[in-house]
Amino acid sequence: MSQKNSNKKIVAFIGLGNMGGGMAPNLVRAGFQVHAFDLSAPALALAESQGCSPYSSAKEAVQGADFIISMLPNGDIVEAVYIDGPEALLNSISPSALIIDCSTVASASSIRLAKSALEKGIKAIDAPVSGGVAAAAAGTLAFMCGGEKGAYQSALPVLNAMGKNIFLAGAAGAGQIAKICNNMLLAVHMTGTAEALQLGVDNGLDPKTLSDIMIKSSGCNWTVEKYNPYPGVMEGVPASNNYEGGFMVDLMLKDLGLAQQAALASQSATPMGAAARNLFNLHKHSGGENKGGKDFSSILDLYRRD
Ligand code: NAD
């Protein structure tokens, strides 16, 4: 447990996994005092080695904090940590503190958290991120926020220390909606790009030549230009590293599931998003191995014949 350094704002950081473990040290570098908690002892030890102060419970970590950031696996855990669990943090957080939940969860979870917090006089925003583990460590994440404008503005000094592009999408839950819309489109682009590249290869084209043509033509999109799924076309992307690193199929499936939940709730037609979710699910279980841990550009394997 650390002593309060009166010159520094205190950020309690809950969840120091692949993402949080990269984000929290950027807050230390920016001059915040970071009170860290994670259920995993190795994650907490790593954060300590990077300047965070480890705490033995989330309840202790939030004492005296000006900001509470959470970066947790899913909405059930977020709701348990703040509202429903035995140590429901809303009972311990000061009304002057601001909750910034960066986890990717259903917008309904974010709305419930914001309402439950407000009942205790505490402000909360949702701030899910775009950009993976490398962007978390480099401090170049994009944050898509949902919540009241004043709370969003109060969060900016903290978010600026961890990210490069920060947006207010709308009211509570809007950040989550922006995130799943973006990732649903990304998945559609990736499956479409893989399908088109393989069609070209099956008809005798070189994948690099075809990519160069598409990049300068109307089929250009981020996945063909910056994150090409065909092995050997581009250096420094997961496709040229046996689909290791990057953004896992399991995480894309999680986001596509959240997109389908949102579509059901709003009765929106999302046939491409539904197809993408099914394709990534088929891909995950194809070829006799679980591909959930591979980068999502490995969807190309579903189309290859060799
Ligand atoms: P992760 O599983 O690596 O990390 C989650 C951490 O939370 C773990 O260290 C775990 O021990 C901890 N945790 C779980 N329950 C806890 C509790 N009750 N109290 C304290 N700590 C607890 O996950 P991640 O990859 O860091 O992802 C975190 C969030 O970010 C997810 O919502 C994910 O969808 C989102 N996200 C991830 C990526 C990515 O590329 N990994 C990209 C964008 C968004």
Side-chain angles (χ1 to χ4, degrees), residues 6-262:
S6 57
N7 296 324
K8 292 189 173 188
K9 292 275 184 194
I10 296 177
V11 180
F13 206 113
I14 318 293
L16 301 144
N18 290 321
M19 295 296 286
M23 294 158 72
N26 286 325
L27 292 171
V28 174
R29 282 187 274 277
F32 291 96
Q33 192 173 338
V34 179
H35 292 187
F37 176 68
D38 195 296
L39 292 177
S40 151
L44 203 52
L46 187 61
E48 184 177 14
S49 73
Q50 294 176 299
C52 301
S53 306
Y55 279 73
S56 51
S57 73
K59 191 176 170 182
E60 289 173 64
V62 302
Q63 298 301 324
D66 301 291
F67 301 93
I68 293 94
I69 298 184
S70 38
M71 195 51 165
L72 293 163
N74 60 53
D76 286 347
I77 293 176
V78 169
E79 291 185 46
V81 163
Y82 285 106
I83 309 168
D84 303 317
E87 281 198 350
L89 290 185
L90 291 186
N91 296 325
S92 305
I93 293 170
S94 157
S96 62
L98 173 64
I99 296 170
I100 307 170
D101 180 37
C102 297
S103 325
T104 301
V105 303
S107 65
S109 285
S110 295
I111 292 167
R112 180 172 178 233
L113 174 57
K115 280 189 178 158
S116 305
L118 205 55
E119 283 166 13
K120 307 255 181 197
I122 307 163
K123 289 185 175 165
I125 65 168
D126 45 300
V129 306
S130 179
V133 175
T140 56
L141 292 167
F143 288 91
M144 307 167 194
C145 304
E148 190 242 309
K149 194 169 180 186
Y152 163 76
Q153 283 168 337
S154 308
L156 284 175
V158 175
L159 299 179
N160 275 317
M162 301 184 291
K164 280 276 171 277
N165 294 295
I166 298 154
F167 303 95
L168 178 62
Q176 302 294 350
I177 298 293
K179 158 96 189 178
I180 55 164
C181 291
N182 179 71
N183 276 19
M184 185 179 82
L185 180 59
L186 172 64
V188 167
H189 279 163
M190 185 56 87
T191 55
T193 296
E195 182 179 319
L197 284 175
Q198 191 58 42
L199 174 66
V201 169
D202 290 346
N203 284 277
L205 294 196
D206 171 66
K208 167 94 172 70
T209 304
L210 178 54
S211 296
D212 288 344
I213 291 168
M214 295 201 300
I215 286 166
K216 295 293 176 200
S217 305
S218 46
C220 184
N221 68 82
W222 184 84
T223 67
V224 72
E225 191 177 17
K226 306 272 194 224
Y227 207 93
N228 200 293
Y230 216 97
V233 165
M234 192 174 277
E235 285 189 9
V237 293
S240 295
N241 186 31
N242 197 26
Y243 298 112
E244 301 298 335
F247 185 57
M248 287 191 297
V249 167
D250 277 340
L251 283 171
M252 181 53 95
L253 274 169
K254 172 191 171 184
D255 293 353
L256 288 169
L258 289 171
Q260 290 305 288
Q261 274 180 31

